[in-house]
Amino acid sequence: MKVKSSLLVFILSLLLAVTALGGCKTASQGDPNTNKDPGANQPRPATVEVTLFFSDDQAEYLVPEKRNLTVKEGASDELLAGNIVKELIAGPKNKDLQPTIPAESKLLSLKISEGIASVNFSDEIKSKHPGGSAGETMTMYSLINSLTEINSIDKVQLLIEGKKVETLAGHLDTSGPLERNEDIIKK
């Protein structure tokens, strides 16, 4: 009887060991993602140098300011353009330059279609704008010239709260898309 009990315990132990070992896998045999970096399939950040345009102290010319933006590698032009607009809202880093878009403004959306960037702002771009023909020109061409640095953008359409507006501050027709203006850039 003792031999039968020992044999039964041995067989059960052997079955238990085989079952336990059968369920284990080494990393090379198992799931191919086991040893991979968890961020390996995620887009990596990339630094992109962009040119933003801000006003000189007399509101006569736009002055370029280079800036490095961090975006996901392979990011769309719309995402890059949105980051450019946010940087314009944040204002210049060079203390000799003047902001062109009211800091209270918010970018609501940005779409690029057939070379036209439709940039939709909150009402603060108009309600907080200082006004004047020079101020309006600096705002619009700061936006347009900065965005047309992107190859897929030829023109910019201003939208406020999703609607086209005839003018931002009463001096410049913004009812249709506007093109880049090289003449206003300080050489």
Side-chain angles (χ1 to χ4, degrees):
M1 185 80 161
K2 227 178 194 186
V3 173
K4 283 186 181 179
S5 292
S6 295
L7 186 58
L8 184 59
V9 169
F10 175 73
I11 291 173
L12 287 175
S13 298
L14 186 62
L15 282 173
L16 182 63
V18 169
T19 304
L21 290 176
C24 294
K25 300 183 208 176
T26 63
S28 62
Q29 294 173 330
D31 184 7
N33 293 321
T34 302
N35 287 334
K36 286 190 178 176
D37 176 11
N41 293 332
Q42 299 296 321
R44 299 189 187 282
T47 301
V48 178
E49 185 180 75
V50 297
T51 303
L52 305 176
F53 293 92
F54 294 102
S55 177
D56 64 6
D57 61 349
Q58 298 298 310
E60 284 185 71
Y61 293 102
L62 291 174
V63 180
E65 181 178 276
K66 299 281 186 190
R67 211 168 279 181
N68 290 320
L69 300 182
T70 302
V71 295
K72 289 181 182 173
E73 190 174 17
S76 70
D77 283 353
E78 286 179 350
L79 182 62
L80 178 59
N83 285 335
I84 288 171
V85 173
K86 289 174 186 173
E87 289 294 314
L88 288 172
I89 293 169
K93 293 192 177 186
N94 180 339
K95 292 181 179 149
D96 294 331
L97 301 178
Q98 302 301 310
T100 55
I101 298 176
E104 300 87 355
S105 302
K106 292 176 186 60
L107 175 65
L108 301 179
S109 65
L110 190 147
K111 300 287 182 212
I112 302 170
S113 178
E114 298 178 17
I116 299 172
S118 296
V119 187
N120 185 20
F121 284 98
S122 64
D123 185 62
E124 287 83 2
I125 194 168
K126 189 170 186 158
S127 66
K128 300 291 184 179
H129 196 274
S133 61
E136 183 177 25
T137 299
M138 291 295 112
T139 296
M140 288 307 301
Y141 286 103
S142 167
L143 178 66
I144 295 161
N145 287 1
S146 297
L147 289 176
T148 55
E149 289 283 312
I150 298 173
N151 290 333
S152 64
I153 300 175
D154 300 316
K155 297 178 180 181
V156 175
Q157 174 66 60
L158 175 69
L159 302 172
I160 299 177
E161 301 288 338
K163 295 181 173 72
K164 289 182 183 180
V165 291
E166 288 189 31
T167 185
L168 178 62
H171 307 283
L172 189 64
D173 181 4
T174 59
S175 61
L178 297 171
E179 295 179 333
R180 183 179 185 89
N181 182 348
E182 292 284 329
D183 296 335
I184 200 168
I185 298 172
K186 191 173 218 169
K187 306 291 185 221

